[in-house]
Amino acid sequence: MVQEEGSSSVTSSPLQFFPWMPVSPGVGGSPYPWLRELKSEERGLYLIHLLIACANQVALGSIENANIGLEHISHLASPDGDTMQRIAAYFTEALADRMLKGWPGLHKALNSTKISSVSEEILVKRLFFELCPFLKLSYLITNQAIIEAMEGEKMVHIIDLNSSEPAQWINLLQTLSARPEGPPHLRITGIHEQKEVLEQMALRLTEEAEKLDIPFQFNPVVSKLENLDIESLRVKTGEALAVSSVLQLHCLLATDEENQRSPPSTSKNLQKVFHLNQRTLGEWLEKDSSYACNLSPDSALSPLSVSASPRMGSFLTGIWGLSPKLMVVTEQESNHNGLTLMERVLEALNFYAALFDCLESTVSRASMERLKLEKMLFGEEIKNIIACEGTERKERHEKLEKWILRLELAGFGRVPLSYHGRLQATRLLHSYAYDGYKIKDENGCLVICWQDRPLFSISAWRFRRYE
Amino acid sequence: MMSEEAVSVPSTNRLYVQEPNSNPNPNTTSNPVKKKRNLPGTPDPDAEVIALSPKSLMATNRFICEICNKGFQRDQNLQLHRRGHNLPWKLRQRTNKEVKKKVYVCPEKSCVHHDPSRALGDLTGIKKHYSRKHGEKKWKCEKCSKKYAVQSDWKAHSKICGTREYKCDCGTLFSRKDSFITHRAFCDALAEENARFGTVSATNPNFMNGNLNNPQTASRIPQISQIFQPEFAGSEPVGNLSADGQRPRLPLWLDPANSQLNSNALMGANSTGSLPAELLQTSPMNMFGSSSHSQQWLNKFPDSSFTGGNLSMSSLPRGLKEEEESKRNLSETITFLYPNSQNPQQNPAHMSATALLQKAAQMGSTRSNPAFNSSSAFGLMSLSSSNVSNFNSYNHHIKNDSQKFIRQPNQTENFSELANTLSSSTPATKVDDGSSSLFSNSFLGTSKNLESLMMPSNSKQGHASVGGLKLLAGTSNESEHSLTRDFLGVGGDASGSFFQQELAKFASMGSAMDLSQYTRHH
């Protein structure tokens, strides 16, 4: 504490407070030179507050305010800065996208010329597999559960709900070939939207199986998960069925019914803004108080919400009808399916902060791959969570407790994941020198955490006859 | 009689049978050629598979003497017994030719070992297996009531039970060293993590204790309100406000101090979904509903703030005693969320995003006090260290004059409404037409209009509103000009000007009138 005679300094010219500030702020480019002086921690905190405030404005539909907020954030956020800056960049992009959806014409015009490249998407998935341990762990644990469940089985049929990464099944093939009773006859049915991806998978896997001399068959099914025809899976009687779902189930929660509830739709709010002078502000706020920041009344565990998703229900019933011996579900451990925007923003902030931290701890800031992963995978997920509603919003992550409820309702019984699998997973973490990750056991389900923040949950299920 | 052949036996048959290794040369006990053991459950492919019925498997004393009906477990024993009856006895010698290996399958159909490919190689083994898996557990350990079907298992356990030697940090006990080591290597509750946890949670009491220190008495308050009211009555020109040389403040809605929304929501989002709802809805009421609460934070305000340091924000005290629950929740969330010090968080330059979020949550929870808004806004804006000293001195000054600006509970409600509008958890009261028109202008006006950022105040209570409206009226013109600048006011003007604009903007907000009163007095 330097100046104790506060009064004099207070009444004197403000310049005294910021002697370092240039008189003509135009010099130096950024109109906020003092911002550069911020240390990264301060800047990070500032960004957090700005983000939340801005999200709140978006939720309320105050476009003007939100715009100002975004403007401020834009001076601090950057996709190649530190973690908080990156997160802010993607969140603001998502918020802006959401705001823009209020002008559908504009939004479509801006997005119409986007080139979506299959190879880029595949690359991004691969980057996620390589740069982060989550997929590796999930595959490992899934495979271990499969092997344990299929002990003694001669005919094994595996359904892969999103077949894009051959590494998972190559690992399984190798482990199966070392089985003491010999490998079973293995059939893998891979589901994916793009034919090319499945063709790639087929090639790699059959090649590997031949090397290991395992009787193997790969059946591609080109389909979206929500339109999946159970018949196309061609499950035969007498074969032991296992289903592997890695980060796939949540998109089935996308439903239309939210339109029947009262969602914050930006276009409605826009009109309100324009008609502002016809009402007093207070009235306006009163009416809109339902929009922003109303946290849904414990939507998490109400049975209504769990059973409310028809697509999920019919999908799970279909799978249940196949009487699978095992189904391993890996999902993001975070509630990004809240009814209100603010709920989702806050949860997503915490979740993706942890994810971005993971990357920060293992990959350098200059890495192009990291940038691509952040932008094309995480950024797109964030955009989907924040900007999309209804059937468009696919990234409806939910916490493990909800998945447990859902799956139990659908007729599945829990299969505890073995200690052996967990051991292997922990060994993998050690071998890759991934520091800071942890694997926790929660009643037989495994949760992969980063610094105590749970990120992904893995649980195993089996067909259960109703007693 | 059993269908199996009895193994030829020397006089030392008991010993022999006990040995796990079947010795092809029965008479030698030293230097035995150890028979190769297959992996358990992987029998020799050309062994003879023998399937015994459960009854025969479980039977003891299968060999009965025909004279006295005494039962024996082994044929050899029966033969020796028959000698006593002067009956012809025959002890068969072990055949010298290669004995065909026998393997046994479990009679239980659902068992894995029912399959010949998973047969077990030893009769005793299959008997024990059958008992263990499919039999009744008749033997019970006295100490721990664990039950066993096979007597030898029970005996082995009883020797070990209670003699546990190894205990992992997670609380699991082990009697064997190898299992203990394996477990410990992969156990979650490793000592180092606990240590980290321990150091972290030690910091929490600082936050918690800060809340509890309310040394000030309530006697101050009456003074404050008296001083406050008269000063409040007059309308102040904007110039006055600007002269105070405030730090650039964020518009109230951007102001992190302003929204317990931020902090509570952050905390809530981290913990349970229901929590933020609670905090948002209840905390404004708690903060401002009771005058005792406001007194507490009023008392808190002068003293503990502005103690300098890198982040003036972090030094802001917990103004309010929030309800116990939120406190507890806060501490829970802090402990839960505080990251491991694996990340070099001691060094703020490398603070991870998760750590920042938690910090923001912690800070936000301390800022339930609206009077803090300005100070923390200052804190936020003047984050660079070069500012801190100025800021601190300024705040020091504030502290001295704070009495003037501490509002009555009456006015606290205005802030509560402001806060409420931000959190939208309670309906906002109506705004006077004067202010609303101003706002509507702002909304439709220039883009960089900070006024529009500020949530409209709902101050209609008492003197506050009067002053506020006058301010509104008084400053509307001025604010129009300043409106075109962004709040940092760096457009063209000297840096000092943005303070003025800031103040102007704050002044024009009804709810901010209190702040402007606050600033005005400098």
Side-chain angles (χ1 to χ4, degrees):
Chain A
M1 295 259 262
V2 176
Q3 302 166 0
E4 285 305 317
E5 70 280 65
S7 47
S8 56
S9 61
V10 166
T11 51
S12 53
S13 155
L15 268 175
Q16 278 195 347
F17 285 97
F18 298 97
W20 45 271
M21 287 203 57
V23 175
S24 60
V27 176
S30 160
Y32 310 111
W34 65 273
L35 283 175
R36 276 198 232 114
E37 300 283 326
L38 286 178
K39 284 196 256 183
S40 95
E41 178 183 351
E42 298 154 348
R43 178 180 57 209
L45 286 159
Y46 189 21
L47 271 172
I48 295 170
H49 291 296
L50 281 175
L51 265 176
I52 294 179
C54 187
N56 193 26
Q57 292 304 306
V58 173
L60 289 172
S62 319
I63 308 296
E64 297 279 348
N65 297 350
N67 179 48
I68 296 172
L70 288 177
E71 167 83 36
H72 286 309
I73 300 177
S74 70
H75 292 288
L76 291 172
S78 152
D80 43 23
D82 70 19
T83 17
M84 208 58 226
Q85 282 179 299
R86 291 174 188 234
I87 294 171
Y90 296 114
F91 269 79
T92 48
E93 189 181 345
L95 286 169
D97 196 59
R98 186 185 174 93
M99 283 162 64
L100 204 58
K101 287 203 162 145
W103 282 276
L106 251 184
H107 187 261
K108 290 197 181 101
L110 275 174
N111 291 325
S112 64
T113 56
K114 277 211 182 121
I115 305 171
S116 59
S117 145
V118 172
S119 57
E120 281 283 295
E121 290 172 23
I122 298 176
L123 171 71
V124 167
K125 290 261 164 70
R126 184 121 259 270
L127 285 177
F128 184 46
F129 173 75
E130 277 175 9
L131 295 179
C132 296
F134 306 113
L135 285 184
K136 296 186 193 105
L137 291 168
S138 161
Y139 294 157
L140 199 63
I141 294 171
T142 306
N143 288 351
Q144 180 62 28
I146 292 178
I147 289 174
E148 284 167 11
M150 298 303 174
E151 197 178 293
E153 295 287 347
K154 293 276 166 22
M155 301 276 300
V156 177
H157 182 188
I158 297 180
I159 299 179
D160 187 356
L161 293 192
N162 184 10
S163 192
S164 60
E165 182 54 62
Q168 178 179 11
W169 306 121
I170 291 178
N171 170 274
L172 182 69
L173 283 168
Q174 288 167 348
T175 326
L176 281 175
S177 74
R179 213 163 71 143
E181 67 252 45
H185 180 99
L186 182 64
R187 246 179 87 204
I188 297 185
T189 301
I191 304 170
H192 202 269
E193 279 179 42
Q194 283 138 1
K195 205 164 65 120
E196 301 87 352
V197 173
L198 290 175
E199 283 169 2
Q200 240 332 79
M201 286 284 284
L203 245 129
R204 290 282 285 117
L205 293 180
T206 38
E207 187 189 320
E208 190 68 27
E210 268 181 44
K211 255 195 276 174
L212 297 167
D213 196 25
I214 299 178
F216 176 74
Q217 230 185 29
F218 183 82
N219 302 120
V221 173
V222 182
S223 162
K224 273 197 182 174
L225 208 59
E226 43 251 32
N227 305 332
L228 184 66
D229 177 16
I230 298 286
E231 300 297 319
S232 64
L233 299 173
R234 302 231 200 98
V235 176
K236 305 189 190 131
T237 50
E239 59 186 12
L241 181 65
V243 180
S244 161
S245 161
V246 178
L247 309 178
Q248 291 308 305
L249 272 191
H250 58 254
C251 51
L252 290 169
L253 291 172
T255 56
D256 262 331
E257 40 170 287
E258 263 185 62
N259 291 335
Q260 279 114 42
R261 303 183 210 161
S262 56
S265 87
T266 31
S267 52
K268 269 197 236 165
N269 291 335
L270 249 188
Q271 288 173 4
K272 290 212 159 80
V273 170
F274 288 138
H275 294 137
L276 198 51
N277 48 7
Q278 293 170 15
R279 289 195 274 170
T280 66
L281 219 43
E283 273 174 358
W284 185 81
L285 283 168
E286 210 167 343
K287 290 242 169 110
D288 287 336
S289 63
S290 61
Y291 286 141
C293 318
N294 257 351
L295 298 165
S296 38
D298 200 33
S299 58
L301 298 178
S302 70
L304 259 171
S305 66
V306 169
S307 58
S309 156
R311 263 191 216 149
M312 173 66 78
S314 62
F315 181 81
L316 285 179
T317 314
I319 297 282
W320 182 88
L322 301 171
S323 356
K325 194 159 185 193
L326 180 75
M327 176 162 77
V328 186
V329 176
T330 305
E331 281 293 328
Q332 286 93 340
E333 176 66 7
S334 183
N335 181 21
H336 295 155
N337 200 14
L339 286 172
T340 64
L341 176 67
M342 280 314 287
E343 267 185 294
R344 301 203 299 270
V345 166
L346 295 166
E347 289 281 345
L349 253 183
N350 284 293
F351 183 77
Y352 287 98
L355 270 183
F356 275 70
D357 280 339
C358 292
L359 280 180
E360 171 84 4
S361 74
T362 49
V363 188
S364 91
R365 284 192 193 169
S367 159
M368 193 57 197
E369 273 117 25
R370 174 180 167 188
L371 206 73
K372 278 195 181 157
L373 176 62
E374 288 173 348
K375 177 173 171 62
M376 299 197 284
L377 190 67
F378 299 155
E380 290 300 311
E381 283 178 6
I382 294 170
K383 209 188 281 192
N384 192 269
I385 293 172
I386 290 181
C388 300
E389 295 287 345
T391 43
E392 255 191 10
R393 177 149 55 94
K394 305 279 184 208
E395 302 294 337
R396 293 178 182 249
H397 311 151
E398 285 185 344
K399 293 209 169 172
L400 181 62
E401 56 205 1
K402 260 195 123 169
W403 286 116
I404 291 177
L405 264 179
R406 262 186 224 282
L407 289 165
E408 282 180 350
L409 265 176
F412 289 92
R414 214 127 42 116
V415 174
L417 291 167
S418 72
Y419 185 64
H420 191 59
R422 183 174 164 202
L423 207 66
Q424 284 190 321
T426 325
R427 276 200 204 122
L428 184 140
L429 284 177
H430 288 230
S431 69
Y432 276 86
Y434 282 122
D435 228 6
Y437 296 92
K438 261 194 292 234
I439 302 188
K440 289 201 181 141
D441 182 302
E442 278 187 26
N443 284 332
C445 305
L446 292 183
V447 179
I448 306 174
C449 307
W450 161 259
Q451 311 286 14
D452 285 329
R453 157 80 218 202
L455 288 177
F456 293 91
S457 70
I458 308 176
S459 55
W461 303 84
R462 63 177 170 82
F463 163 82
R464 184 189 77 216
R465 252 177 229 103
Y466 291 116
E467 275 108 29
Chain B
M1 284 286 263
M2 300 305 303
S3 54
E4 58 172 18
E5 285 181 312
V7 180
S8 71
V9 104
S11 51
T12 57
N13 70 35
R14 277 188 212 97
L15 287 169
Y16 169 71
V17 174
Q18 300 283 359
E19 261 183 57
N21 278 338
S22 47
N23 195 340
N25 209 344
N27 287 322
T28 63
T29 47
S30 60
N31 296 331
V33 173
K34 290 216 170 181
K35 218 173 188 179
K36 178 186 67 150
R37 289 192 86 171
N38 282 346
L39 288 168
T42 57
D44 193 357
D46 46 19
E48 181 187 340
V49 179
I50 300 186
L52 300 165
S53 71
K55 197 169 165 209
S56 44
L57 206 51
M58 291 293 281
T60 55
N61 300 347
R62 302 176 305 227
F63 302 91
I64 315 290
C65 171
E66 55 224 14
I67 309 268
C68 57
N69 284 330
K70 187 166 168 153
F72 295 90
Q73 291 203 21
R74 292 184 194 90
D75 184 53
Q76 301 89 332
N77 302 353
L78 172 63
Q79 296 305 316
L80 289 173
H81 166 82
R82 279 166 60 107
R83 283 199 308 196
H85 288 308
N86 294 321
L87 286 169
W89 53 276
K90 183 178 181 212
L91 285 174
R92 277 175 277 174
Q93 296 294 326
R94 186 172 177 80
T95 55
N96 286 335
K97 63 175 179 346
E98 262 307 301
V99 187
K100 189 153 172 100
K101 175 105 177 78
K102 295 194 189 70
V103 293
Y104 305 89
V105 287
C106 180
E108 176 66 32
K109 285 198 184 60
S110 64
C111 187
V112 178
H113 295 289
H114 185 66
D115 183 9
S117 64
R118 308 271 324 248
L120 297 173
D122 190 62
L123 176 64
T124 324
I126 195 78
K127 285 161 83 173
K128 283 192 176 172
H129 155 80
Y130 188 76
S131 298
R132 281 191 201 113
K133 290 281 174 59
H134 315 295
E136 182 200 333
K137 296 191 176 165
K138 296 180 202 141
W139 303 92
K140 183 180 158 188
C141 170
E142 298 148 350
K143 293 172 206 160
C144 70
S145 78
K146 195 165 175 194
K147 287 195 165 177
Y148 292 91
V150 179
Q151 187 186 14
S152 51
D153 294 345
W154 170 77
K155 266 196 198 164
H157 166 80
S158 309
K159 281 188 193 164
I160 290 179
C161 186
T163 64
R164 58 183 190 265
E165 288 176 46
Y166 308 99
K167 182 175 178 178
C168 177
D169 295 313
C170 68
T172 327
L173 297 165
F174 295 91
S175 57
R176 295 178 54 150
K177 186 171 185 178
D178 48 358
S179 45
F180 168 61
I181 289 176
T182 313
H183 165 88
R184 199 172 54 155
F186 300 105
C187 179
D188 274 349
L190 283 173
E192 46 167 339
E193 292 164 19
N194 276 339
R196 265 180 248 128
F197 238 72
T199 54
V200 164
S201 47
T203 65
N204 295 332
N206 298 337
F207 290 110
M208 301 309 294
N209 291 337
N211 202 12
L212 304 172
N213 295 336
N214 286 319
Q216 275 65 36
T217 62
S219 56
R220 273 233 209 135
I221 309 302
Q223 289 177 321
I224 294 168
S225 48
Q226 281 161 17
I227 298 169
F228 198 20
Q229 284 182 22
E231 286 174 342
F232 203 78
S235 67
E236 301 287 339
V238 177
N240 227 355
L241 298 164
S242 55
D244 292 340
Q246 301 285 313
R247 291 268 172 322
R249 265 177 291 178
L250 280 174
L252 270 178
W253 74 267
L254 273 183
D255 188 338
N258 216 357
S259 32
Q260 73 270 27
L261 162 74
N262 292 355
S263 61
N264 294 339
L266 271 180
M267 283 157 48
N270 278 332
S271 50
T272 64
S274 51
L275 178 61
E278 277 176 68
L279 287 177
L280 285 172
Q281 283 154 16
T282 57
S283 48
M285 289 168 354
N286 285 335
M287 288 191 293
F288 308 104
S290 65
S291 53
S292 62
H293 275 171
S294 56
Q295 284 172 13
Q296 280 170 353
W297 61 250
L298 293 178
N299 294 331
K300 203 67 182 94
F301 174 70
D303 278 329
S304 41
S305 61
F306 322 129
T307 49
N310 281 338
L311 270 186
S312 30
M313 281 191 291
S314 50
S315 63
L316 287 175
R318 288 270 192 95
L320 253 159
K321 238 187 217 143
E322 294 183 12
E323 47 184 7
E324 258 77 38
E325 192 187 342
S326 42
K327 256 198 295 180
R328 249 183 282 120
N329 288 331
L330 175 63
S331 63
E332 279 162 19
T333 48
I334 290 177
T335 34
F336 173 68
L337 297 166
Y338 202 103
N340 276 333
S341 54
Q342 270 185 353
N343 272 344
Q345 279 139 17
Q346 323 314 336
N347 182 358
H350 296 298
M351 213 167 184
S352 69
T354 35
L356 283 174
L357 279 167
Q358 288 154 25
K359 189 154 195 174
Q362 294 162 18
M363 282 163 19
S365 64
T366 71
R367 245 177 277 117
S368 45
N369 178 352
F372 282 151
N373 291 341
S374 45
S375 54
S376 54
F378 296 139
L380 184 58
M381 302 303 282
S382 63
L383 288 174
S384 56
S385 44
S386 58
N387 271 340
V388 169
S389 53
N390 297 333
F391 176 50
N392 289 333
S393 67
Y394 174 66
N395 289 330
H396 199 67
H397 178 72
I398 291 176
K399 168 182 152 183
N400 298 332
D401 292 330
S402 59
Q403 295 134 13
K404 300 180 200 166
F405 314 123
I406 310 276
R407 291 166 304 137
Q408 315 163 23
N410 207 9
Q411 271 118 26
T412 63
E413 283 161 35
N414 298 332
F415 262 117
S416 73
E417 287 160 27
L418 175 67
N420 288 345
T421 58
L422 280 181
S423 63
S424 294
S425 53
T426 60
T429 61
K430 305 219 189 294
V431 175
D432 290 322
D433 282 341
S435 48
S436 66
S437 59
L438 180 66
F439 291 137
S440 51
N441 287 340
S442 334
F443 270 118
L444 303 175
T446 54
S447 59
K448 289 191 177 180
N449 185 338
L450 270 186
E451 273 180 20
S452 58
L453 292 179
M454 320 270 284
M455 295 309 291
S457 77
N458 310 301
S459 51
K460 285 181 68 178
Q461 315 199 8
H463 359 265
S465 55
V466 174
L469 281 178
K470 288 190 181 164
L471 278 176
L472 272 173
T475 63
S476 56
N477 290 336
E478 191 115 356
S479 19
E480 300 279 357
H481 293 299
S482 49
L483 283 179
T484 54
R485 280 193 245 278
D486 53 37
F487 80 96
L488 289 176
V490 194
D493 237 44
S495 53
S497 64
F498 62 83
F499 295 108
Q500 307 180 19
Q501 288 150 27
E502 264 297 305
L503 296 172
K505 279 152 197 144
F506 274 87
S508 61
M509 305 300 298
S511 64
M513 74 195 142
D514 299 305
L515 286 180
S516 55
Q517 294 303 312
Y518 175 122
T519 60
R520 210 185 335 132
H521 288 287
H522 284 281

